[in-house]
Structures are given as C-alpha cells and as structure tokens.
Amino acid sequence: MHERLVLHEDSRSGNCYKIKLTAALLGIELKQRQYDILKGETRSHEFLSRINANGRIPVLEIGDGASARFLPESNAACWYLAHGSALIPEDRLQQAEMLSWMFFEQYSHEPNIATLRFWLQFVGRDNLTEPQTAQLAIKRASGGDALAVMDRHLADRTHFVGSALTLADVTLFAYTHVAEEGGFEIDIYPNIQRWIAAVVKTPGFIPMIG
Ligand SMILES: N[C@@H](CCC(=O)N[C@@H](CS)C(=O)NCC(=O)O)C(=O)O
C-alpha cells in the first residue's frame, strides 16, 4: 500500500486498536493523529466538517492534501486495509461468514462490552448520567449473551471462520480481550480464553496501548 494513511484516533479505543492491529499484521504503515474523546475533541466544528460528520473516531484518512478521503467505521477501515490479503478469505461463503461476525461485533458485542468498558473504566461509575446508569444491567446481560455465543462457537474451532485468522477474529478480539475492564468475567469462557491466547501469538501481533 503506497498511499499515505493517517488514523484519527484515541488510543484508549478498541475500535481504533482493530485498525492498528490489522495494519500491524499486514506490515502496513499508519500515521496517527490523537484526539481526547472525553474532552469532546471529535465534536469540534473542524472535525465534524472535514473528518467525520458523525463526530466519532476512528477515521482512516487515505491519501494526501486536497484529494485525501476520510473513512469512518472501524470495520470498514479494517476491510480497506486487508483487501486482497489472507485476513479476508477468498471463498465467498467464508467471506460472508466473516462479515456476519463483524456485524455481530457491531450490533451485539461492541455496544454492550465496549460501552460498559468506556463508562466504567474511563467516565467512572459515579459520573454516569441517570439514563446511562439505567442501562448498566441490560448492557451487562446483553454483553454476557454475546460472549456466550462466541464461546459456544469456538468450542470446536481455533478461529471464527475457517482455520486461520480473519478480520472476524481481529475485530472481535479488540474489545473481548479487555472485557474485564467493563466488568465482564472472562474466566467463565474457556474457549474464548484459548482463542485470545492464540491471537496474541499471531506473527505481527501488537498489544493495545491506552
Ligand atoms: N461504529 C463505530 C463506533 C465509533 C465510536 O463509537 N467511537 C467512539 C470511541 S470508540 C467515539 O468516537 N466517541 C466519542 C464521541 O462519540 O464523541 C466504529 O466501529 O468505528
């Protein structure tokens, strides 16, 4: 990949980590531009008008100067980087299965597990609003359901799709391996634990820092 790539990110975010992990596994160079989401830095007029009208990181900036393009949504950025690599299976059905897990990640996993981690680890239990506090129990139950689905799927498999690492593993790994920071017990999911240990050993793996 020869174009200039800049990841607009907050290094505490697992959604940003997915993209950095994908790039590292593929040996792709990514520059980084940091924002503090707790200070609302992705809600500035400049960010909203130029980088992402949705006011969120990660955003992958592709290319240079006036022709630069901005790609929001972590899983789309992972897809862009991994296009044509072994992280996306060639088989059509396996590709669709991979996407199925990536949509699961965005609908059933991240909104529960990442949100609880953000609220409890970074915002702080005592600083939550009333509506946030009211959602704690349902998010805990739904996040637990998502982890149970993953654990059952991994009972007789090493990876989510086929027998090698794909973007399904990379994207699900990001918030699963730090789920304890959101108050989830990982000890009760032996297959997830085995899978985490295997992902960490993948050549090119980088840890999440933040
Ligand atoms: N579906 C999006 C979620 C992006 C997202 O929720 N970003 C959070 C950090 S992980 C954010 O920017 N929050 C700051 C804000 O909403 O102001 C993705 O996967 O990239």
Side-chain angles (χ1 to χ4, degrees):
M1 212 163 270
H2 299 302
E3 66 228 331
R4 174 176 168 270
L5 296 166
V6 181
L7 181 64
H8 295 258
E9 70 144 349
D10 182 319
S11 61
R12 294 167 291 196
S13 153
N15 284 321
C16 299
Y17 171 57
K18 287 171 193 174
I19 301 169
K20 291 183 286 189
L21 179 55
T22 302
L25 292 169
L26 296 172
I28 296 171
E29 194 194 331
L30 270 190
K31 294 186 175 25
Q32 283 149 40
R33 158 86 162 85
Q34 296 295 327
Y35 298 81
D36 186 337
I37 54 173
L38 286 170
K39 292 190 181 146
E41 288 180 1
T42 59
R43 300 286 165 163
S44 69
H45 174 71
E46 207 259 332
F47 188 94
L48 293 171
S49 57
R50 200 174 84 84
I51 297 170
N52 183 7
N54 198 25
R56 292 182 168 84
I57 44 89
V59 177
L60 184 62
E61 180 179 346
I62 304 159
D64 241 329
S67 61
R69 306 266 295 269
F70 294 89
L71 182 63
E73 294 298 330
S74 56
N75 290 357
C78 290
W79 176 278
Y80 181 80
L81 294 178
H83 184 76
S85 80
L87 290 179
I88 299 179
E90 277 178 26
D91 176 79
R92 182 177 169 183
L93 180 56
Q94 284 196 345
Q95 231 177 68
E97 287 172 345
M98 183 192 81
L99 286 174
S100 162
W101 282 110
M102 291 167 77
F103 289 121
F104 165 88
E105 190 269 342
Q106 285 284 293
Y107 188 79
S108 301
H109 186 284
E110 192 262 14
N112 300 306
I113 295 172
T115 302
L116 279 196
R117 172 177 176 265
F118 182 66
W119 288 352
L120 299 176
Q121 183 81 1
F122 299 111
V123 177
R125 178 78 175 80
D126 295 341
N127 301 320
L128 297 181
T129 62
E130 241 176 72
Q132 287 171 335
T133 303
Q135 288 181 66
L136 288 174
I138 180 73
K139 285 198 179 287
R140 172 141 345 280
S142 302
D145 288 347
L147 292 170
V149 166
M150 290 168 63
D151 198 62
R152 277 196 299 276
H153 182 73
L154 289 170
D156 53 0
R157 291 176 179 84
T158 55
H159 296 86
F160 275 87
V161 178
S163 54
L165 192 89
T166 69
L167 289 185
D169 301 287
V170 173
T171 55
L172 280 166
F173 178 82
Y175 284 110
T176 303
H177 86 294
V178 289
E180 280 175 344
E181 295 177 5
F184 294 93
E185 266 184 76
I186 282 291
D187 298 2
I188 58 175
Y189 305 110
N191 304 314
I192 290 181
Q193 282 183 299
R194 179 175 41 76
W195 166 77
I196 287 175
V199 173
V200 166
K201 289 199 191 107
T202 309
F205 175 86
I206 53 162
M208 180 166 164
I209 297 161

